[in-house]
Amino acid sequence: MIPGSNKDHPSFIRSFGYAIEGFVTAVKTERNIKVMLVAGVLTVIVGFVAKLQLISWALIAICIGLVIFAELCNTAMEAIVDLATQELHPLAKRAKDIAAASVYVLSITAAIVGILVFAHDFGLIGSWH
């Protein structure tokens, strides 16, 4: 595709195909995305067992989606850095470390939300108000 041009711009449907291809590539090649997906599936299973309320499902779905999104972005940023330089440059390390830290912070936040949601729905803590 030529920047600023519609020439050779993929169709809307083809763009979805590229997105799915990217997701499948990430799942096949990246350990951390597999870990995040397994954690998400386990969380959903526990959610069914706990018979989560609608708002709890919304919070869990948002957290799972955001963590997977962050891991995909981190993976893409690492690939871009690797493409830009093959040497062990301090700025390359900095970029990769900061991208990984963003996933870490979001994962911890999602875990806290999950603990609060499940503790509430299992009756371990009081109501939200």
Side-chain angles (χ1 to χ4, degrees):
M1 182 171 85
I2 302 168
S5 169
N6 286 334
K7 188 173 182 176
D8 296 324
H9 195 359
S11 70
F12 190 68
I13 298 296
R14 186 169 296 223
S15 293
F16 273 113
Y18 293 143
I20 291 167
E21 183 179 336
F23 184 79
V24 168
T25 299
V27 171
K28 284 181 177 178
T29 61
E30 299 298 321
R31 178 198 64 220
N32 287 349
I33 193 76
K34 292 174 190 156
V35 170
M36 302 299 180
L37 288 171
V38 168
V41 168
L42 292 175
T43 303
V44 168
I45 291 168
V46 174
F48 280 116
V49 170
K51 298 179 181 170
L52 292 181
Q53 298 172 16
L54 183 60
I55 190 70
S56 297
W57 275 117
L59 290 168
I60 294 297
I62 290 168
C63 286
I64 291 170
L66 285 174
V67 169
I68 291 170
F69 164 79
E71 188 59 48
L72 290 168
C73 287
N74 178 51
T75 298
M77 285 185 253
E78 287 182 351
I80 291 166
V81 169
D82 289 346
L83 181 63
T85 181
Q86 295 299 316
E87 65 183 76
L88 295 174
H89 193 282
L91 285 177
K93 179 183 182 332
R94 182 176 176 189
K96 286 184 167 191
D97 289 352
I98 292 170
S102 70
V103 178
Y104 177 74
V105 169
L106 184 58
S107 296
I108 295 298
T109 304
I112 292 168
V113 170
I115 289 167
L116 292 173
V117 164
F118 285 110
H120 174 263
D121 284 13
F122 278 120
L124 301 174
I125 59 174
S127 78
W128 296 110
H129 34 294

